[in-house]
Amino acid sequence: MHYFVGLIGFIIVLLVAFSMSSQRQNIAFKRVIFMLVLQFILGFILLRTSVGTVIVSALAAVFDALLKFAASGVAFVFSGIANKGSAPFFLNVLMPIVFISAIIGILRYIKILPLFMKGVGLALSKINGLGKLESYNGVASAILGQSEVFISIKKELPHLSEQRITTMSISAMSTVSMSIVGSYMALIQPRYVITALVLNLFGGYIISAIVNPYKLSETEDLLAIEEDQKQTFFQMLGEYILDGFHVAITVAAMLIGFVALIAMINFIFAKVTGLSFQEILGYIFAPLAFLSGISWNEAVSAGSLMATKLVTNEFVAMTELAKGNFHFSGRTTAIVSVFLVSFANFSSIGIISGAMKGLNEEKGNLVAKHGLKILLSATLVSFLSGIITGLIY
């Protein structure tokens, strides 16, 4: 039964994307179908084969090692608190972002990361039919983050059309930053985090190709990436360490604010209606969760987590899931986990447009103008990834 419902949900996602399309005559249907097939193949490899198990285990082991190294630094600074376990979430989940950010900075400094991003982006442009810059942007967003990625193409921004800016924003919001992947793995199973990273990358290309199709001339389709300013190694390292700390503190502040607000709103709704705000959101999102392949008896709870992620952010929803209060089946856990791994939420509209405005005010205003369209597109990417996970599981 869940396969049938999942297929219906799969078709509905594509139909919604098609209904949003600005130029349906420009949709490259063969490319879209090819990428959808590729999504199923990659998802099957990651979730159902021994090869996928080896890949996921290896990547999870790398991040596990990085988190252990990060724990050494955390224990040195917060030894008393860390050893007593008085603040495990902030220290064990958020503080490792500082160390992983430093690793990313080193890989960029020695030119390994830029070479990888350009190479993969160029190769993907042959598959997805999008521009080289758009393909690079999808890969770079998954590594650098949804706001930082635009710094690397800031020289190109003034020359980019409204459609290209929209596609790049959809890709940026559909992915997550590699610097916080380790933090996700501390909350949900690593294999779902890695599966989501792969599916969302192609999902962003697929939804963009349907919602926002366009054609580029050879002169427009150039891949010019802004290199980091010349710095000494330790200048760079200090900058990335502070950037990582800033991200960790920002996430912590957002969690404090959002969780507190949800607690207050839940209390008010419970007093007035007898149901918490999250329970009401769960009922609203239950049909969407059901169409993702989740059984109806779990759809309300799953819908609540999906809605929480959209209204607040993925960390709040993942924290709720990690508490163990939801007794989901394996399939539901997989679908919800994959759905949660993206930046598709209302606050991301402000983050992307704000980052863009800091580089080019005109382009930042374009992002704000198409903010809801970008968010809906990125949310469709999350649903597409979750549905495919359910069909493969």
Side-chain angles (χ1 to χ4, degrees):
M1 178 65 180
H2 71 270
Y3 290 114
F4 177 70
V5 174
L7 283 172
I8 292 175
F10 179 78
I11 293 169
I12 289 175
V13 167
L14 296 179
L15 287 176
V16 171
F18 184 76
S19 70
M20 294 169 58
S21 182
S22 54
Q23 297 182 37
R24 293 171 189 167
Q25 71 276 9
N26 286 334
I27 298 175
F29 288 102
K30 288 184 180 179
R31 299 272 190 178
V32 169
I33 293 170
F34 179 74
M35 285 191 287
L36 285 169
V37 171
L38 195 57
Q39 269 194 313
F40 275 98
I41 292 171
L42 292 172
F44 184 83
I45 290 171
L46 289 171
L47 292 172
R48 296 289 297 273
T49 69
S50 56
V51 174
T53 302
V54 171
I55 293 171
V56 171
S57 298
L59 290 172
V62 169
F63 277 97
D64 186 53
L66 291 176
L67 292 176
K68 286 179 180 177
F69 294 140
S72 301
V74 172
F76 179 78
V77 177
F78 300 100
S79 55
I81 300 175
N83 291 338
K84 293 176 183 177
S86 302
F89 185 87
F90 180 72
L91 299 180
N92 298 337
V93 177
L94 298 184
M95 280 294 96
I97 293 174
V98 178
F99 175 65
I100 295 175
S101 179
I103 296 298
I104 290 174
I106 293 170
L107 291 174
R108 285 194 79 180
Y109 188 82
I110 61 180
K111 306 297 183 184
I112 291 177
L113 206 54
L115 188 64
F116 172 79
M117 291 188 296
K118 288 180 186 179
V120 174
L122 185 61
L124 286 174
S125 69
K126 306 294 183 183
I127 296 173
N128 58 36
L130 298 173
K132 297 183 184 71
L133 198 62
E134 287 86 339
S135 299
Y136 159 83
N137 185 80
V139 178
S141 296
I143 295 173
L144 304 178
Q146 65 179 342
S147 55
E148 295 84 353
V149 67
F150 293 107
I151 297 173
S152 69
I153 57 170
K154 63 182 178 183
K155 283 190 175 180
E156 292 295 306
L157 287 180
H159 312 295
L160 297 178
S161 67
E162 189 170 339
Q163 288 179 307
R164 299 188 78 183
I165 288 292
T166 301
T167 287
M168 291 180 184
S169 298
I170 291 171
S171 287
M173 197 183 287
S174 300
T175 55
V176 293
S177 170
M178 196 62 70
S179 64
I180 58 177
V181 165
S183 300
Y184 293 158
M185 289 182 179
L187 297 171
I188 60 179
Q189 292 183 45
R191 65 172 176 154
Y192 299 141
V193 176
I194 294 165
T195 300
L197 289 173
V198 174
L199 294 182
N200 287 350
L201 175 63
F202 285 97
Y205 294 143
I206 290 166
I207 297 300
S208 294
I210 298 174
V211 171
N212 190 42
Y214 51 88
K215 295 179 180 179
L216 297 173
S217 65
E218 289 186 16
T219 54
E220 290 176 309
D221 191 17
L222 298 174
L223 182 61
I225 307 303
E226 175 78 2
E227 298 291 343
D228 289 339
Q229 292 182 345
K230 292 294 181 182
Q231 294 176 301
T232 67
F233 178 80
F234 288 103
Q235 281 178 320
M236 173 281 302
L237 192 59
E239 181 181 315
Y240 273 85
I241 287 172
L242 290 176
D243 284 346
F245 185 73
H246 180 259
V247 170
I249 294 298
T250 300
V251 172
M254 290 178 70
L255 285 174
I256 291 169
F258 277 126
V259 172
L261 280 171
I262 287 177
M264 182 184 74
I265 294 170
N266 279 340
F267 176 80
I268 294 171
F269 270 78
K271 288 293 184 182
V272 175
T273 67
L275 295 172
S276 71
F277 177 64
Q278 284 175 295
E279 286 175 327
I280 292 172
L281 286 178
Y283 284 109
I284 294 172
F285 264 69
L288 299 177
F290 178 68
L291 287 172
S292 298
I294 295 170
S295 61
W296 184 251
N297 63 320
E298 296 177 311
V300 173
S301 296
S304 174
L305 287 174
M306 290 174 167
T308 298
K309 180 250 189 180
L310 179 64
V311 174
T312 58
N313 61 47
E314 74 284 359
F315 263 113
V316 177
M318 286 181 190
T319 305
E320 289 288 324
L321 180 61
K323 287 179 180 178
N325 296 328
F326 298 96
H327 304 291
F328 291 141
S329 65
R331 174 175 286 103
T332 298
T333 299
I335 294 171
V336 172
S337 297
V338 169
F339 178 89
L340 296 182
V341 183
S342 89
F343 286 144
N345 59 67
F346 283 100
S347 61
S348 286
I349 299 174
I351 291 171
I352 295 178
S353 62
M356 193 82 81
K357 278 186 180 181
L359 299 169
N360 186 298
E361 186 169 356
E362 179 192 353
K363 304 306 179 184
N365 289 333
L366 287 178
V367 173
K369 173 185 172 183
H370 296 290
L372 289 177
K373 181 179 181 180
I374 292 166
L375 175 58
L376 178 55
S377 298
T379 303
L380 288 177
V381 173
S382 294
F383 273 112
L384 186 63
S385 297
I387 290 168
I388 289 173
T389 298
L391 291 172
I392 291 170
Y393 187 88

